[in-house]
Amino acid sequence: GQQVMQIPQYQHVQEGEDFTTYCNSSTTLSNIQWYKQRPGGHPVFLIQLVKSGEVKKQKRLTFQFGEAKKNSSLHITATQTTDVGTYFCAGTGNTGKLIFGQGTTLQVKP
Amino acid sequence: EPEVTQTPSHQVTQMGQEVILRCVPISNHLYFYWYRQILGQKVEFLVSFYNNEISEKSEIFDDQFSVERPDGSNFTLKIRSTKLEDSAMYFCATRSNTEAFFGQGTRLTVV
């Protein structure tokens, strides 16, 4: 079945450093979504990418969707302690169901 | 902001018992989902529900599980004969066309 792989599993950075998480799908995706889950919380939607090669920015966050629509990345510039949490990508295939990657847990040292 | 409501927030049950987890979706949403998250692990798809029927289910969603929308508003997940390994956070999510909105989750502990 459809699989979405995400790396790295964990990342510890010093405040102010950059952070990137990568997402790869075994199949071509209709779209990809990114969610953030704070410790003890529930996933909260960040953004959706639909077009091949699409790049979107939200302040210090940059999201990219690959040309083949099988991979994506989230890059955070100059991390802050408020960025702590687990970032999940979620791919939507032809059936419409969201399949989540394993998530990348970000720890930021002040 | 619209929100998905889940009850209870925490359920402790004895192994072998049945539990029902409840979700009140956002009113104009059409797609409903149940996901499971074992502590520290990824969010796992269980089942999707559209037009009052299951549209897709994962390998995890076997005969032990069932979903229904009994009164047109609540969306329930029933787990029969619970096992220790069913202990997890269960999230309900609903969406219209784009993003999924997640409820706060029900933490199920099977003892």
Side-chain angles (χ1 to χ4, degrees):
Chain A
Q2 181 185 359
Q3 289 189 336
V4 176
M5 307 297 291
Q6 198 174 344
I7 56 169
Q9 190 174 1
Y10 299 100
Q11 183 88 56
H12 295 246
V13 300
Q14 197 72 40
E15 190 172 22
E17 291 182 339
D18 292 355
F19 159 77
T20 305
T21 173
Y22 301 91
C23 185
N24 284 286
S25 169
S26 57
T27 59
T28 302
L29 300 168
S30 300
N31 61 66
I32 195 149
Q33 300 179 2
W34 285 90
Y35 292 79
K36 179 181 179 181
Q37 185 178 27
R38 294 183 186 278
H42 60 281
V44 174
F45 175 80
L46 293 176
I47 208 160
Q48 175 174 281
L49 303 170
V50 179
K51 299 176 186 173
S52 169
E54 190 171 11
V55 178
K56 286 188 176 180
K57 293 194 174 193
Q58 287 180 352
K59 297 182 181 177
R60 294 176 295 103
L61 277 62
T62 301
F63 304 85
Q64 289 189 313
F65 200 11
E67 293 291 340
K69 300 184 74 172
K70 294 179 75 173
N71 58 70
S72 182
S73 65
L74 157 60
H75 179 81
I76 303 178
T77 304
T79 53
Q80 300 174 357
T81 54
T82 52
D83 296 325
V84 163
T86 299
Y87 293 85
F88 291 97
C89 62
T92 305
N94 294 333
T95 60
K97 75 179 180 188
L98 276 176
I99 298 295
F100 282 77
Q102 297 94 320
T104 297
T105 298
L106 173 64
Q107 296 281 4
V108 179
K109 289 177 283 189
Chain B
E1 181 170 297
E3 62 176 25
V4 176
T5 306
Q6 284 186 248
T7 55
S9 56
H10 193 183
Q11 174 98 46
V12 180
T13 189
Q14 293 223 322
M15 195 167 52
Q17 296 295 306
E18 174 182 286
V19 294
I20 297 177
L21 311 183
R22 292 182 169 81
C23 171
V24 178
I26 295 170
S27 60
N28 61 342
H29 283 189
L30 302 176
Y31 299 90
F32 310 130
Y33 304 85
W34 281 102
Y35 288 87
R36 178 181 81 176
Q37 187 176 36
I38 295 169
L39 186 64
Q41 298 186 24
K42 71 172 184 176
V43 180
E44 297 177 291
F45 170 78
L46 292 177
V47 66
S48 58
F49 194 83
Y50 172 73
N51 204 23
N52 287 323
E53 61 182 23
I54 291 174
S55 53
E56 193 149 7
K57 57 185 181 180
S58 72
E59 293 172 353
I60 302 168
F61 195 89
D62 58 21
D63 292 342
Q64 186 193 3
F65 295 88
S66 62
V67 290
E68 61 178 10
R69 205 170 174 217
D71 54 10
S73 59
N74 290 304
F75 178 50
T76 63
L77 173 69
K78 183 187 289 185
I79 309 175
R80 288 178 281 274
S81 189
T82 49
K83 300 176 286 217
L84 294 176
E85 53 264 38
D86 294 326
S87 295
M89 197 74 162
Y90 288 82
F91 289 108
C92 170
T94 74
R95 72 181 177 105
S96 53
N97 290 320
T98 53
E99 76 260 37
F101 289 82
F102 282 77
Q104 301 284 350
T106 294
R107 180 168 296 285
L108 176 65
T109 303
V110 182
V111 297

